[in-house]
Amino acid sequence: MILIRDVVNQALLSGYLTLEAEEQLRKLLAQKYELEDFRAFMTLQKAAMIGRVKQESRELLRMQC
C-alpha cells in the first residue's frame, strides 16, 4: 500500500508533482493516515509554495492563459 509520505518523497526528490501524484494524494488524504503522513504533506505544501517543487497542474493552467 502506498503512503502519503511515499508520494511526497518522490515529489521532493524529483522537484515535480505530477497530475497523477496530485490525484493520488487527494485519494490518500480522504482516508485515515498517520501523523507522519500529515507532516510529509505539510512539507510538500511548503516546498511548493517556495518553488522547490513545481506542480504540473499549475503549469498547465499558466499555459492556458
Side-chain angles (χ1 to χ4, degrees), residues 5-40:
R5 64 193 97 150
D6 298 329
V7 178
V8 168
N9 285 334
Q10 180 60 39
L12 292 173
L13 285 172
S14 69
Y16 197 73
L17 185 65
T18 64
L19 289 172
E20 293 82 11
E22 281 190 56
E23 183 59 31
Q24 195 168 36
L25 283 172
R26 281 187 200 91
K27 289 177 183 177
L28 291 168
L29 287 165
Q31 303 170 8
K32 282 193 168 196
Y33 49 84
E34 297 179 10
L35 181 58
E36 187 176 341
D37 288 304
F38 177 73
R39 288 184 177 145

Side-chain angles (χ1 to χ4, degrees), residues 59-65:
E59 290 180 352
L60 292 172
L61 281 175
R62 268 185 253 147
M63 290 172 62
Q64 291 177 356
C65 294

